[in-house]
Protein backbone atom coordinates (compact mmCIF):
# COMPACT_ATOMS: atom_id res chain seq x y z
CA UNK A 1 0.00 0.00 0.00
CA UNK A 2 1.17 3.50 -0.77
CA UNK A 3 1.04 6.03 2.10
CA UNK A 4 -0.85 8.44 -0.17
CA UNK A 5 -3.62 5.84 -0.62
CA UNK A 6 -3.87 4.80 3.05
CA UNK A 7 -7.36 4.94 4.58
CA UNK A 8 -8.01 7.67 7.13
CA UNK A 9 -8.58 6.55 10.73
CA UNK A 10 -7.22 3.02 10.32
CA UNK A 11 -4.34 1.57 12.37
CA UNK A 12 -1.28 1.19 10.16
CA UNK A 13 2.21 -0.22 10.46
CA UNK A 14 4.64 2.12 8.74
CA UNK A 15 8.28 1.17 8.25
CA UNK A 16 10.87 3.79 7.34
CA UNK A 17 14.36 3.93 5.89
CA UNK A 18 15.50 5.37 9.24
CA UNK A 19 14.92 2.08 11.15
CA UNK A 20 11.89 3.56 12.89
CA UNK A 21 8.46 1.91 13.06
CA UNK A 22 5.25 3.89 13.42
CA UNK A 23 2.24 1.89 14.53
CA UNK A 24 -0.96 3.83 15.06
CA UNK A 25 -4.00 5.57 13.65
CA UNK A 26 -3.33 7.25 10.30
CA UNK A 27 -4.78 10.72 9.86
CA UNK A 28 -3.36 12.26 6.68
CA UNK A 29 -0.42 13.07 4.50
CA UNK A 30 0.14 16.26 2.56
CA UNK A 31 2.80 14.62 0.40
CA UNK A 32 5.63 15.89 2.58
CA UNK A 33 4.67 14.77 6.09
CA UNK A 34 2.52 12.04 7.62
CA UNK A 35 0.26 12.71 10.62
CA UNK A 36 -0.69 9.86 12.96
CA UNK A 37 -2.50 9.68 16.30
CA UNK A 38 -2.26 7.33 19.30
CA UNK A 39 1.01 6.05 17.90
CA UNK A 40 3.85 3.79 18.98
CA UNK A 41 7.11 5.20 17.64
CA UNK A 42 9.79 2.53 17.97
CA UNK A 43 13.43 2.86 16.92
CA UNK A 44 14.74 -0.56 16.01
CA UNK A 45 17.92 -1.78 17.66
CA UNK A 46 20.82 -3.05 15.51
CA UNK A 47 19.80 -6.73 15.73
CA UNK A 48 16.10 -6.28 16.45
CA UNK A 49 13.58 -8.11 14.26
CA UNK A 50 10.91 -5.65 13.11
CA UNK A 51 8.43 -8.44 12.30
CA UNK A 52 8.47 -9.77 15.86
CA UNK A 53 7.82 -6.28 17.23
CA UNK A 54 4.99 -5.74 14.74
CA UNK A 55 3.40 -9.14 15.53
CA UNK A 56 3.46 -8.28 19.24
CA UNK A 57 1.61 -5.02 18.55
CA UNK A 58 -0.93 -6.86 16.40
CA UNK A 59 -1.52 -9.45 19.12
CA UNK A 60 -1.56 -7.27 22.26
CA UNK A 61 -2.37 -3.78 20.95
CA UNK A 62 -0.50 -0.58 20.17
CA UNK A 63 1.84 0.62 22.93
CA UNK A 64 0.91 4.28 22.53
CA UNK A 65 3.81 6.59 23.40
CA UNK A 66 2.81 9.60 21.26
CA UNK A 67 -0.63 11.20 21.15
CA UNK A 68 0.17 12.90 17.82
CA UNK A 69 3.24 12.46 15.63
CA UNK A 70 4.38 13.78 12.26
CA UNK A 71 7.24 12.45 10.19
CA UNK A 72 8.77 12.69 6.72
CA UNK A 73 6.64 10.97 4.07
CA UNK A 74 9.75 10.39 1.93
CA UNK A 75 11.16 8.10 4.65
CA UNK A 76 8.27 5.62 4.32
CA UNK A 77 9.35 2.29 2.81
CA UNK A 78 6.39 0.03 3.65
CA UNK A 79 2.78 0.51 4.76
CA UNK A 80 0.47 -2.25 6.03
CA UNK A 81 -2.84 -2.44 7.84
CA UNK A 82 -2.26 -3.52 11.44
CA UNK A 83 -5.32 -5.76 11.16
CA UNK A 84 -3.65 -7.72 8.33
CA UNK A 85 -0.64 -8.69 10.46
CA UNK A 86 -0.76 -12.36 11.61
CA UNK A 87 -1.16 -12.64 15.37
CA UNK A 88 0.67 -15.96 15.82
Amino acid sequence: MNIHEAPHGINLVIETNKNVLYIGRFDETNGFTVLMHDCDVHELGPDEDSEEYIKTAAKYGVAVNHKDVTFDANAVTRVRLLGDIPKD
Side-chain angles (χ1 to χ4, degrees), residues 24-87:
R25 192 166 40 89
F26 176 72
D27 188 335
E28 67 179 359
T29 181
N30 62 11
F32 299 101
T33 59
V34 176
L35 173 61
M36 295 182 74
H37 304 293
D38 305 321
C39 192
D40 177 9
V41 179
H42 182 74
E43 187 170 346
L44 294 167
D47 295 326
E48 188 174 4
D49 182 6
S50 64
E51 285 304 309
E52 285 303 312
Y53 190 88
I54 293 166
K55 283 182 182 180
T56 299
K59 186 173 185 175
Y60 298 109
V62 178
V64 175
N65 53 33
H66 287 80
K67 178 76 174 147
D68 304 302
V69 65
T70 59
F71 56 94
D72 184 10
N74 289 329
V76 174
T77 57
R78 188 175 184 190
V79 178
R80 295 181 278 172
L81 298 174
L82 182 60
D84 288 348
I85 305 299
K87 293 164 183 58

